[in-house]
Amino acid sequence: MTATTPYLHPPIDEVGDELCSLAGQITAATGRFLALLADFDTREGWGGAGVLSCAHWLSWRCGIDLRTARDHVRVARALVALPRTTTELAAGRLSYSKVRAVTRVATPTTEDELVDIALTAPAAHVERLVRGLRAVDRQQERERGDEPAPRQHVQHRWDEETGHLVLWGRLCAQDGALVLAALTRAEHERTRTDRAADGPAEPTDLTGGPPSDLGPALVAMAELTCAAAAAPAGAPAAEVVVHLGPHGPQLERGPALSEEAAEEVACGSMRRDVVVENGCVLSFGRRRRRPSPVQLRALHLRDGGCRAPGCGRTRFLHAHHVVALSRGGTTDLDNLVLLCGGCHRSLHLHQFTISANGEQRFTFYRHGEVWLTAPPMAGDDAGRFRGTVDPHAIGGSWNGDALDVGYATSVLRQGRELPPAA
């Protein structure tokens, strides 16, 4: 019998050094990326049929979230006028997080002072310092009368090209914090995969703040409100009304719906079908036939959560008719399956299908094949950036002192107001 050699982990100090070195290499690669992006944006290399902006192109071609893409474009444009910040970023000494903060307030005359601070301070301190500087700037603008006091309002419109609902506006700080708290709770509930009614949510890490994409959480809040409060009789906008006319389904006071979107709405509990012809209401239908409370309890007991393979979410579930009511489907357990909102939409967009096999058995298909498990994650690091960045370059030289935002802000403001040295 021969003894096997145990697997030896590298010393923990080496692991830490490699992490820092890789962070520096990522930073240096990001510097190169932003320099190319600035040139690409200036020469409008992103222009083309259907491309709305440079950020839109990044989202399409580079797989970057649109919000992140807009931030990259903003930083790339700002770096054109900030040579030292660009140099430190390209050398892997100034992380992208710090650069993103510095470019919000830096000018060619104040750049050196801010970069000196960013090279030594943690990223969290730089963010707080920049927020303090921006708050002082806004306050001085209001005092001079350059900036009117913001009015609290939130508005909406239907996008004529896409048919999407567009929301915009502003809320005061306390109301905004309340809305973000509610959205965070909605996202917490929406993404749950545990079955306990009062257990903690497992899959979503919201410790850093509200979700970055507020859309799904906002829809979850809407579902909660519609389920908890009855629609007032004198408020037709309080429920989803679909007009069934000769030109296809259309939302009341809203855009036309595709067949897939209409089918998705048909699975919801708040739809009401209205048939209008020549200005006359021929039929003001009842709310669509939904499963009874007993059927819903049986569904939750049977499925436990979203049945789509690999999902398992247990909140904001929809009782989907596998065979649609419009095609002769019935509202019984042999034709009903629980899906979360995201998987439900994917189904109606034909990203996967379900067949009912009888006796409450269902088969999921994707790309024409039986879908048994979630798709595996894959990656290849062969083409990663390999530079010569020192593992201690990106860490800075912070000695652990707490940041006094008020003092630091006042010193920086005073430095801005001093005349340049002769």
Side-chain angles (χ1 to χ4, degrees):
M1 177 180 244
T2 58
T4 58
T5 303
Y7 174 75
L8 298 177
H9 291 282
I12 196 65
D13 290 342
E14 292 183 11
V15 174
D17 285 346
E18 185 173 1
L19 285 173
C20 292
S21 179
L22 287 172
Q25 293 176 29
I26 292 171
T27 295
T30 302
R32 174 64 176 163
F33 177 86
L34 292 175
L36 291 173
L37 178 59
D39 179 56
F40 187 75
D41 180 44
T42 301
R43 293 196 281 165
E44 296 187 354
W46 50 267
V51 182
L52 304 178
S53 65
C54 188
H56 186 200
W57 186 91
L58 282 177
S59 179
W60 167 45
R61 293 296 303 275
C62 299
I64 300 175
D65 173 75
L66 191 57
R67 180 178 178 181
T68 305
R70 292 193 185 103
D71 203 38
H72 282 340
V73 173
R74 179 194 67 80
V75 174
R77 291 173 178 173
L79 286 175
V80 173
L82 302 174
R84 187 180 173 201
T85 307
T86 303
T87 300
E88 299 294 349
L89 175 66
R93 292 189 291 268
L94 204 59
S95 70
Y96 175 75
S97 296
K98 295 181 181 181
V99 169
R100 181 179 57 191
V102 167
T103 52
R104 294 192 185 108
V105 295
T107 65
T109 58
T110 62
E111 177 192 15
D112 284 340
E113 191 172 29
L114 288 168
V115 169
D116 287 340
I117 295 173
L119 285 171
T120 59
H125 286 191
V126 178
E127 285 281 357
R128 290 175 59 195
L129 184 60
V130 168
R131 284 198 297 269
L133 289 171
R134 296 183 73 187
V136 171
D137 288 340
R138 286 194 296 269
Q139 180 62 32
Q140 290 184 346
E141 288 175 358
R142 283 194 290 269
E143 291 174 356
R144 293 194 303 265
D146 296 338
E147 180 187 39
R151 183 172 62 90
Q152 178 166 293
H153 68 285
V154 177
Q155 297 175 304
H156 80 279
R157 67 175 176 86
W158 293 103
D159 188 304
E160 295 181 357
E161 294 185 1
T162 64
H164 293 169
L165 178 66
V166 180
L167 301 173
W168 76 96
R170 66 174 67 242
L171 296 172
C172 63
Q174 60 271 31
D175 289 348
L178 179 62
V179 170
L180 289 178
L183 288 169
T184 302
R185 295 187 188 191
E187 182 71 0
H188 174 101
E189 289 296 315
R190 187 186 71 85
T191 57
R192 290 176 70 144
T193 59
D194 60 299
R195 299 192 181 189
D198 300 319
E202 297 177 355
T204 302
D205 181 10
L206 297 172
T207 56
S212 57
D213 181 4
L214 299 178
L218 188 62
V219 174
M221 282 179 57
E223 291 185 8
L224 282 173
T225 302
C226 289
E239 61 184 8
V240 179
V241 178
V242 179
H243 288 232
L244 302 179
H247 303 294
Q250 180 176 357
L251 291 175
E252 184 174 26
R253 300 187 183 92
L257 295 177
S258 65
E259 292 297 330
E260 294 80 7
E263 288 185 1
E264 181 182 346
V265 175
C267 286
S269 61
M270 307 309 295
R271 165 176 166 170
R272 188 189 299 276
D273 291 339
V274 178
V275 179
V276 180
E277 185 175 332
N278 297 326
C280 299
V281 178
L282 302 183
S283 173
F284 189 72
R286 296 182 301 172
R287 289 188 178 182
R288 72 156 196 99
R289 186 154 48 99
R290 62 172 299 176
S292 67
V294 173
Q295 288 176 315
L296 287 175
R297 285 197 295 271
L299 275 175
H300 280 271
L301 179 64
R302 184 194 72 190
D303 294 346
C306 178
R307 286 286 297 274
C311 181
R313 289 178 177 172
T314 58
R315 297 296 187 272
F316 300 100
L317 303 176
H318 301 168
H320 170 69
H321 289 76
V322 177
V323 179
L325 294 174
S326 60
R327 296 181 176 85
T330 57
T331 305
D332 56 49
L333 296 180
D334 285 340
N335 192 44
L336 293 171
V337 64
L338 288 181
L339 295 174
C340 71
C343 292
H344 194 190
R345 175 157 300 170
S346 297
L347 172 70
H348 285 290
L349 292 176
H350 309 299
Q351 295 177 6
F352 68 92
T353 58
I354 309 175
S355 67
N357 306 324
E359 299 182 353
Q360 301 184 37
R361 297 181 182 276
F362 306 91
T363 304
F364 288 72
Y365 297 90
R366 192 174 59 170
H367 307 309
E369 299 180 356
V370 176
W371 186 14
L372 298 177
T373 59
M377 298 296 290
D380 179 14
D381 67 346
R384 71 183 182 183
F385 177 85
R386 297 184 184 276
T388 56
V389 179
D390 186 274
H392 304 291
I394 199 170
S397 56
W398 179 53
N399 59 7
D401 293 339
L403 173 65
D404 188 337
V405 178
Y407 173 74
T409 301
S410 64
V411 170
L412 288 172
R413 293 295 306 178
Q414 184 179 12
R416 289 187 187 184
E417 296 168 359
L418 292 175

